[in-house]
Amino acid sequence: NLGCFFKRKGKLQAALHYLNKALAIETQTKTAENPAGTLLNLCATLSQLGRHAQALTHAEKAIETLQKSKNSVGGAAAARMSFLAIAYHNQAVEQEFLQRKPEALASYRQAVVLADKCWGPRSSMAMALRNNLKAFQKGSAAKDDRRDYSRRPSSSRAEVSAPSVVTAAPRKRPVTAS
C-alpha cells in the first residue's frame, strides 16, 4: 500500500491521499482483505496531522467493521481480535485528544481486555496498552486536580505491520496496521 509507504517516509499528505484511494477501492469490493487496517492507518495519519475528530471517526469505523466480521474462526478470529484491540486503543487516544475522558477510559480498558485475550497479559503489546491505560488514569487524576486541559496525551505511535507481527507501543498514540 503506497499510503503506508509514504506514512513511513513522513510524507503524511501523500499517505493520506493513497490511504483514501485504498479505502475507496476496498469499499467497492466485497473481497477486500483488510479494510479495518486501512481505516486504522488513516486514523494514525490524521492524528499525526492534528485532525483528531476525523481520526476518531476512522477508529470508530474500524471497530464497526471488525465487529461486523464476528463470524471469523481460527487465525482470522485472532487477527480480528488483534486489530480490534488496536482500534479501541486508537479510539481512546483520539478521545483523549478531544478531551472526552470518560469515553477514553472505557476505550483504553476495552483495548487492554482484548490485548490480554489476543496476545496474553505478559505480551509486550498488552503490557504497553496497559501502561497507556495507567498513564491516562494518572494523567486524568492530575488534570482534574489542576484543571489544566491543555496537555496532549502522553503518547507515541507504534507501527504494526500485521496483527500477527505486532510491535509494542512505548507510549500511547494511534497504532497503525499496514
Side-chain angles (χ1 to χ4, degrees):
N1 183 322
L2 284 173
C4 296
F5 170 78
F6 283 114
K7 185 178 179 311
R8 280 191 288 276
K9 295 290 182 185
K11 298 183 183 282
L12 300 178
Q13 290 298 333
L16 189 59
H17 172 76
Y18 286 106
L19 288 168
N20 278 318
K21 275 189 162 191
L23 185 62
I25 292 167
E26 288 174 338
T27 56
Q28 291 175 354
T29 179
K30 292 182 180 177
T31 59
E33 198 170 299
N34 189 12
T38 302
L39 288 163
L40 292 173
N41 280 307
L42 275 163
C43 171
T45 302
L46 287 164
S47 184
Q48 284 183 292
L49 290 168
R51 295 162 58 180
H52 301 292
Q54 288 177 304
L56 176 59
T57 298
H58 286 291
E60 291 168 343
K61 285 180 184 176
I63 291 167
E64 181 181 321
T65 300
L66 290 161
Q67 288 176 335
K68 284 181 183 176
S69 65
K70 283 183 185 178
N71 297 331
S72 47
V73 293
R80 182 188 141 284
M81 190 181 303
S82 65
F83 273 108
L84 202 48
I86 292 166
Y88 273 106
H89 175 266
N90 288 9
Q91 177 177 262
V93 171
E94 298 312 321
Q95 289 166 331
E96 186 177 357
F97 269 111
L98 296 170
Q99 299 301 317
R100 294 166 58 176
K101 294 190 320 182
E103 293 168 348
L105 179 60
S107 296
Y108 278 125
R109 286 179 174 158
Q110 185 64 29
V112 170
V113 166
L114 290 166
D116 285 348
K117 285 181 185 177
C118 183
W119 302 299
R122 293 183 182 232
S123 71
S124 59
M125 191 63 161
M127 289 190 300
L129 296 184
R130 189 173 299 99
N131 288 339
N132 293 344
L133 168 61
K134 289 177 185 175
F136 171 76
Q137 290 171 320
K138 183 178 177 184
S140 255
K143 278 187 195 180
D144 287 342
D145 292 342
R146 295 189 314 263
R147 299 286 182 221
D148 175 13
Y149 295 99
S150 61
R151 187 182 72 83
R152 293 176 46 157
S154 58
S155 54
S156 67
R157 287 170 180 76
E159 293 291 322
V160 179
S161 58
S164 58
V165 183
V166 179
T167 58
R171 298 179 196 228
K172 54 185 160 81
R173 285 203 186 160
V175 179
T176 60
S178 40

